[in-house]
Amino acid sequence: MPTSATSTSNERRRRREGGFTLIEIGLVLLIIATIVALVVPRFRDQSRAELQAQTRKLAATFRFLQEEAILNGRVYRINFDLDQQRYFVTEADVTDDAASFTHSSGILARDVTLPSTVQIADVDTPETGGKLYQGVALAHFFPDGFVEPMAVHLQNGQEFYTLYVANGLTGRAHVAAGYIDLGASS
């Protein structure tokens, strides 16, 4: 039974309509692989970006508290609650002999709870207590501009960022990638 050229081309069309060729499947896989290669690193960087943002936010709080202490003639204190992974500000009047600290008002009134991707690994206050991994650690800001030398280590499970005040007289807060141990640099 002879077949004509038209019937052969019709059979080819029917086979082609039923599925994809190897080249088409390969192109789709190549497109998917390219998209995944571009998107996945951004998800990893998001955790790092959150760690950097929280460290910078804490550094801005340090700078603000130092300025507020000087301007208002009050002692401010950041309370790091390591068990709850949060921090908040309290203040005391310099003229008060008992120096009873009360929860701060205004812009500093709210507690800051860290997102679940960022944790306070430890707070190091070499002059007053050393490293604390749990409980409450304190950082004081005095009206003369003095800030207790300290380091706050934040982590995201993969890497560390350090907020540190190396020189209490200047009170300048620095941010650095990695784990900086103030005790080792002394």
Side-chain angles (χ1 to χ4, degrees), residues 7-186:
S7 67
T8 309
S9 72
N10 285 340
E11 281 180 32
R12 285 185 193 154
R13 269 192 223 127
R14 272 188 248 134
R15 272 192 246 146
R16 180 149 169 80
E17 290 172 3
F20 297 105
T21 65
L22 192 56
I23 292 174
E24 291 169 333
I25 292 172
L27 284 174
V28 169
L29 290 175
L30 179 66
I31 292 169
I32 290 171
T34 304
I35 290 171
V36 168
L38 293 173
V39 171
V40 168
R42 292 183 191 215
F43 285 125
R44 277 193 222 127
D45 286 344
Q46 193 166 7
S47 172
R48 183 179 202 201
E50 185 68 36
L51 177 63
Q52 289 174 338
Q54 289 299 322
T55 308
R56 285 190 195 115
K57 181 178 178 180
L58 184 57
T61 303
F62 264 63
R63 290 182 198 109
F64 182 76
L65 285 176
Q66 183 186 25
E67 291 171 8
E68 285 294 297
I70 294 167
L71 289 172
N72 297 331
R74 298 180 67 78
V75 177
Y76 287 89
R77 167 171 88 181
I78 293 185
N79 302 265
F80 293 99
D81 185 346
L82 301 172
D83 300 326
Q84 299 295 317
Q85 291 297 307
R86 67 185 180 108
Y87 59 90
F88 57 95
V89 176
T90 54
E91 61 183 289
D93 195 351
V94 176
T95 59
D96 184 10
D97 292 334
S100 59
F101 283 87
T102 59
H103 210 67
S104 187
S105 60
I107 194 168
L108 303 170
R110 63 183 181 91
D111 293 4
V112 177
T113 302
L114 295 174
S116 60
T117 56
V118 177
Q119 299 88 34
I120 302 171
D122 63 65
V123 176
D124 185 10
T125 52
E127 293 182 3
T128 58
K131 286 186 186 178
L132 289 175
Y133 299 96
Q134 58 188 4
V136 177
L138 306 172
H140 290 89
F141 300 82
F142 297 97
D144 61 359
F146 183 81
V147 178
E148 291 176 320
M150 67 175 320
V152 180
H153 300 105
L154 299 171
Q155 67 175 344
N156 65 359
Q158 300 165 354
E159 56 190 327
F160 285 90
Y161 265 74
T162 303
L163 167 80
Y164 66 97
V165 176
N167 183 347
L169 294 176
T170 64
R172 182 169 160 86
H174 303 276
V175 173
Y179 190 98
I180 296 176
D181 190 1
L182 289 184
S185 65
S186 303

